[in-house]
Amino acid sequence: MYFDGSVMKTSAGAGLLFVSPLGEHMRYVVHLHFPASNNMVEYEALLYGLRIANKLGIRRLDVRGDSQLITDQVMKEASCHD
């Protein structure tokens, strides 16, 4: 999964891209209805992406994003084996 966030004046948006082992692409767009900093948007995008992956039944996930800090922080605290 790759995520990218952008900040707008009154709200924020993020794009998510899932790529299957066979190279199939699934794209998602998340619209946050509140103003947010870049870090907040990336954090929310990562959380939404993890929720989507869980609902899709994805068992293994390689997470990449613009902010390695956000990715490392969330993945360290999450139980990635469940």
Side-chain angles (χ1 to χ4, degrees), residues 43 46-47 50 63 70-82:
Y43 178 77
L46 177 55
L47 293 179
L50 293 174
V63 178
I70 300 294
T71 304
D72 290 346
Q73 211 171 29
V74 170
M75 298 311 288
K76 184 183 352 177
E77 293 179 21
S79 174
C80 299
H81 302 289
D82 294 337

Side-chain angles (χ1 to χ4, degrees), residues 57-73:
I58 295 172
R59 309 276 293 162
R60 296 188 71 180
L61 189 64
D62 179 23
V63 178
R64 299 180 187 177
D66 287 346
S67 174
Q68 195 61 43
L69 173 67
I70 300 294
T71 304
D72 290 346
Q73 211 171 29

Side-chain angles (χ1 to χ4, degrees), residues 20-80:
S20 76
L22 300 175
E24 298 168 338
H25 289 195
M26 293 176 281
R27 291 180 173 85
Y28 293 85
V29 175
V30 177
H31 183 82
L32 306 174
H33 297 278
F34 55 87
S37 69
N38 281 337
N39 283 348
M40 288 172 64
V41 172
E42 296 216 8
Y43 178 77
E44 291 291 330
L46 177 55
L47 293 179
Y48 273 97
L50 293 174
R51 288 182 192 120
I52 292 168
N54 186 42
K55 287 187 185 233
L56 291 173
I58 295 172
R59 309 276 293 162
R60 296 188 71 180
L61 189 64
D62 179 23
V63 178
R64 299 180 187 177
D66 287 346
S67 174
Q68 195 61 43
L69 173 67
I70 300 294
T71 304
D72 290 346
Q73 211 171 29
V74 170
M75 298 311 288
K76 184 183 352 177
E77 293 179 21
S79 174
C80 299

